[in-house]
Amino acid sequence: MKIAVLPGDGIGTEIVAEALKVLKVLDLPLELESADVGGMAYDKHGHPLPEATLKLAREADAILFGAVGDWKYDKLERQFRPEQAILGLRKSLGLFANFRPAICYEQLTDASSLKPELVSGLDILIIRELTGDIYFGQPRGRRIAPDGNFPGAEEAFDTMRYSRPEIERIAHVAFQAARKRGKRVTSVDKANVLETFQLWKDVVTEVGQQYPDIKLDHMYVDNAAMQLVKAPKAFDVIVTGNMFGDILSDAAAMLTGSIGMLPSASLNASNQGLYEPSHGSAPDIAGKGVANPLATILSAAMMLRFSLNQPQAADRIESAVSAVLSQGLRTADIFSAGSTKVGTRQMGDAVVAAITKKTTKS
Ligand code: IPM
Ligand code: MG
């Protein structure tokens, strides 16, 4: 099982190191190879997604990704910005199906920004389409004023676009995922305003007819944002486009206590996947050893389950994470009075210890 390891920028290296520690202790036949990505790759090779990195990613069974981005690259031309690395990987590998589970661990109900009773037992799954929509639609660009007097662009535009097959395949992913859990799908759109999302709604409805065992409903994105903070447990699977999914998944993440807890998987049609925490590179805390590595560790668990067919190993990681939370260990982002504050490495070590302890017992 070949894994491309792409730590990237900011806290990326620190959190990926902890996930690798956890993977190593599981003693699986994994072949790990690292490569440069993001701003650090731009600094070293002049491109955020160097050819060699893309090649390694293509040839791997799975990709473990940290994070990319730093304010210092904000002035670069768009094609050289660190974010282009992750967008390029998603597009080149056809990773259209993004799974963003938002699970609130019982031990963390207090860390949520919502009242404990609203999030206790929360387990929802956001399925975000990842290779279409306004993120990739053409044409896009900026128009400079003809008289050249105005220093910047006078007008800018992006194209929101979805094709029927793109919507069909993500809808199938959502219905099939719902089958394995609460059997409900909420499709989030803006069909009251946008043609793109009228098509979305129509196609999801059509695909839904092939899944009579799944209850489908539709919700406008603004209402979905409201419902997510009002009664998040009312959702089971949410399926939506790239842009709305980006926004709603950050909101959902916070319900669970911290975005530092949320893993994600991005899969293509052959189940090859990229696994990354839902959070970013957090340059403000990079190198300080305080970042929460659990989202990345949980992403490694998703990788074992989805791409490497090792569900037991995935279970072991997930119960170890739950065990360290029960021990009261908390990184700064989820810390509250009465718990024990730990750094990135201590948190990783604790997960490793919880896994090895389980092994000797069984
Ligand atoms: C995410 C991030 C990315 C996105 C950025 C870094 C390009 O916000 O994975 O949610 O917008 O998709
Ligand atoms: Mg985002």
Side-chain angles (χ1 to χ4, degrees):
M1 295 180 280
K2 199 169 165 186
I3 301 171
V5 180
L6 312 181
D9 303 321
I11 58 171
T13 20
E14 300 159 64
I15 55 179
V16 167
E18 300 313 308
L20 292 180
K21 253 193 317 211
V22 170
L23 284 173
K24 280 180 187 143
V25 83
L26 291 168
D27 214 17
L28 298 165
L30 304 177
E31 198 186 305
L32 303 161
E33 199 175 326
S34 303
D36 298 329
V37 78
M40 55 83 74
Y42 174 79
D43 290 341
K44 271 168 86 174
H45 314 281
H47 199 281
L49 182 57
E51 203 45 57
T53 303
L54 186 57
K55 183 167 180 282
L56 179 74
R58 274 189 211 284
E59 288 166 0
D61 298 304
I63 301 152
L64 187 63
F65 191 92
V68 290
D70 191 299
W71 303 300
K72 74 178 193 204
Y73 304 106
D74 279 0
K75 294 235 150 56
L76 282 180
E77 249 180 82
R78 185 163 306 282
Q79 55 167 328
F80 295 120
R81 303 242 303 235
E83 290 79 7
Q84 293 305 309
I86 184 66
L87 296 172
L89 280 165
R90 289 171 183 171
K91 195 68 178 175
S92 325
L93 275 63
L95 304 168
F96 70 94
N98 183 213
F99 288 69
R100 297 194 166 184
I103 295 172
C104 186
Y105 284 83
E106 217 43 53
Q107 304 92 319
L108 292 183
T109 42
D110 288 340
S112 172
S113 46
L114 293 193
K115 295 192 194 86
E117 63 268 27
L118 289 182
V119 294
S120 162
L122 179 77
D123 178 359
I124 63 182
L125 173 62
I126 298 188
I127 296 188
R128 168 187 177 196
E129 200 289 332
L130 206 55
T131 53
D133 204 351
I134 197 165
Y135 269 59
F136 293 100
Q138 292 294 339
R140 55 183 290 162
R142 281 172 299 168
R143 288 199 188 97
I144 309 295
D147 60 11
N149 281 335
F150 191 73
E154 189 170 73
E155 189 189 28
F157 56 100
D158 298 275
T159 304
M160 182 175 267
R161 186 194 153 277
Y162 265 122
S163 69
R164 175 173 282 274
E166 283 176 306
I167 304 167
E168 280 171 357
R169 64 181 183 177
I170 194 73
H172 282 291
V173 168
F175 287 114
Q176 280 160 23
R179 225 170 226 172
K180 296 190 197 141
R181 32 182 300 145
K183 306 205 162 37
R184 281 182 304 119
V185 170
T186 303
S187 171
V188 172
D189 63 59
K190 191 72 188 177
N192 51 343
V193 178
L194 302 169
E195 290 306 323
T196 318
F197 277 89
Q198 183 62 56
L199 179 68
W200 176 280
K201 186 173 183 176
D202 294 345
V203 174
V204 173
T205 305
E206 272 175 47
V207 173
Q209 284 160 4
Q210 299 173 39
Y211 298 85
D213 51 323
I214 308 297
K215 186 177 175 303
L216 168 67
D217 53 40
H218 303 273
M219 205 179 267
Y220 297 140
V221 62
D222 46 351
N223 185 24
M226 181 168 75
Q227 298 306 326
L228 260 181
V229 292
K230 186 180 163 208
K233 284 193 265 182
F235 292 104
D236 178 24
V237 173
I238 293 177
V239 65
T240 191
N242 205 346
M243 181 85 257
F244 299 156
D246 179 45
I247 300 164
L248 293 181
S249 63
D250 263 32
M254 204 52 222
L255 304 178
T256 70
S258 167
I259 196 166
M261 292 298 301
L262 259 90
S264 81
S266 306
L267 303 178
N268 67 17
S270 39
N271 258 351
Q272 189 193 21
L274 181 146
Y275 298 83
E276 58 172 329
S278 284
H279 60 74
S281 56
D284 52 329
I285 56 163
K288 296 191 177 148
V290 298
N292 186 349
L294 293 180
T296 316
I297 291 173
L298 291 167
S299 299
M302 286 185 101
M303 172 174 87
L304 292 169
R305 180 170 292 121
F306 284 119
S307 288
L308 305 177
N309 198 21
Q310 297 286 334
Q312 282 104 345
D315 288 345
R316 287 175 68 196
I317 296 181
E318 285 160 0
S319 31
V321 166
S322 185
V324 303
L325 293 175
S326 296
Q327 289 160 24
L329 303 186
R330 305 278 186 273
T331 41
D333 57 315
I334 48 177
F335 179 74
S336 62
S339 49
T340 313
K341 197 182 260 183
V342 294
T344 310
R345 273 170 42 200
Q346 284 165 290
M347 190 59 117
D349 290 343
V351 175
V352 167
I355 290 175
T356 43
K357 202 162 108 212
K358 288 236 169 59
T359 320
T360 33
K361 262 194 204 150
S362 59

